Amino acid sequence: MTTLIINIKELLQVRETSIPKVSGAEMAILPTIKNAYLLIQDDLIANFGSMDNLPQIKADKVIDAAGKIVLPTWCDSHTHIVYAGNREQEFVDRINGLTYEEIANRGGGILNSAKKLNESSEEEIYEQSKSRLEEVMRLGTGAVEIKSGYGLTVDGELKMLRVIQRLAANYPIAIKATFLGAHAIPLKYKEDRKGYIDLLLNDMLPEIAKNKLADYIDVFCETGYFTVPELEEIMEAGISFGLKPKIHVNQFNSIGGIQAGVKHHALSVDHLEIMKNEDIMALKNSETMPVALPSCSYFLSIPYTPAREMIAAGLPLALATDYNPGSTPSGNMNFVVATACIKMKMTPEEAINAATINGAYAMGISETHGSITIGKKANLILTKAIPTYYQLPYAFGSNLIDTVLIEGQIVA
């Protein structure tokens, strides 16, 4: 099946040869072609270029994109969209003055979600999660990482990872699974941290590895959650089972998690709301992708990742949603891109690079996703007729997406 898109007002993120990521000043460069065409063969990008050079093509389907911008679908490298129920009462508690930490200390937060998840059947969790996945696909996300971490028991964590596996089997969107058993210490182990970590390393990890249920391992390294030595122990165990680290660090405090992640060749370090100069320096010349989650900062009213300082230091940066029931109940990457421009002072070019090519790097799929490159997946956003791509972050409250294609097929 061949699909030809013609009269594209501007084709964004065009890369003749595949590159893994962009860093520093390069993030401000977004290669484009105006008045372009793009050819899809089955699920792959087969050709593209200027309409002036359009060859004779007999396509099965032709889409006229006059007035529209075309760009790669978003790559959301950090989500928790497999969960049960919601935490809307905690949302009201925060409005009434309680902090995220105070809510957690009262048994809310992650432990609240763990209680709901363990009380729900696998089928219930799948049905809730697939609705969220379908929504983000319609919003232009064509690749997504999904974490466990609301089970905090052997059965609960395995249940979550099986749901992620089932979503990956049933939907065309690229899905990467991350084991986040080290999300919080469950109440049962409040006085026995070592006992829970032993359970994680000796019972959960071997079962997950045996059943190939995860690609990555994650730890919430933060004051009140997991310490840097615990982070290192868990990362090393995950690596021994073939799971590369992708870790939560520097959300509320800078305690050395970034340095530990870089040392263990973590694929990404995520959150980064609190960044010291030594944290930025630790990431320089490393293979670890920093990932900002601006809609989490928006929802919790906490600082935003200091994008300008990081980019000025020559670092790459990716953007992701952190979609979860407690701190970011939204998977809308369009809002993330807009918020990065409005609150983090990223240019539209930097934000689009961060949400496409760098997002693909942060989930290990740079070779197949994240740019308009021949041979990559035909995952595309076609906007409505808009003046320029600056309209995407500028009109932050409008849905400017007309059509989404994932693996060459229109998302209904």
Side-chain angles (χ1 to χ4, degrees), residues 144-179:
V144 65
E145 180 259 17
I146 308 175
K147 303 176 190 294
S148 69
Y150 293 130
L152 307 183
T153 62
V154 176
D155 289 345
E157 290 296 306
L158 291 172
K159 180 163 65 173
M160 289 189 76
L161 289 165
R162 285 195 301 269
V163 168
I164 298 168
Q165 188 179 61
R166 189 172 162 194
L167 291 170
N170 291 345
Y171 288 88
I173 184 171
I175 294 177
K176 289 290 187 177
T178 299
F179 170 49

Side-chain angles (χ1 to χ4, degrees), residues 177 205 209 214-217 235-245:
L205 254 180
D215 304 290
Y216 303 114
I217 189 160
M235 282 194 294
E236 286 165 7
I239 291 165
S240 75
F241 281 102
L243 304 182
K244 197 172 178 73

Side-chain angles (χ1 to χ4, degrees), residues 40-167:
I40 299 166
Q41 178 72 51
D42 297 326
D43 61 339
L44 302 177
I45 296 168
N47 201 0
F48 58 85
S50 167
M51 284 294 291
D52 295 338
N53 302 318
L54 177 64
Q56 285 291 325
I57 297 170
K58 190 173 181 183
D60 299 305
K61 182 176 186 177
V62 177
I63 299 172
D64 190 340
K68 300 175 182 179
I69 309 288
V70 175
L71 66 156
T73 51
W74 311 122
C75 295
D76 188 353
S77 67
H78 183 127
T79 84
H80 307 251
I81 68 175
V82 170
Y83 61 85
N86 63 64
R87 295 195 342 232
E88 57 191 29
Q89 181 57 51
E90 294 176 13
F91 168 66
V92 177
D93 290 341
R94 276 199 306 280
I95 292 170
N96 288 323
L98 290 180
T99 67
Y100 185 86
E101 292 92 335
E102 286 169 338
I103 290 167
N105 291 337
R106 296 190 342 174
I110 295 163
L111 298 183
N112 184 4
S113 286
K115 183 174 184 292
K116 287 182 168 73
L117 185 122
N118 283 300
E119 290 170 350
S120 302
S121 72
E122 192 165 320
E123 189 61 30
E124 287 172 324
I125 297 161
Y126 176 78
E127 288 297 321
Q128 291 180 40
S129 302
K130 80 171 191 178
S131 295
R132 297 180 199 115
L133 184 67
E134 289 167 2
E135 180 190 32
V136 302
M137 289 167 67
R138 290 192 296 270
L139 288 167
T141 294
V144 65
E145 180 259 17
I146 308 175
K147 303 176 190 294
S148 69
Y150 293 130
L152 307 183
T153 62
V154 176
D155 289 345
E157 290 296 306
L158 291 172
K159 180 163 65 173
M160 289 189 76
L161 289 165
R162 285 195 301 269
V163 168
I164 298 168
Q165 188 179 61
R166 189 172 162 194
L167 291 170

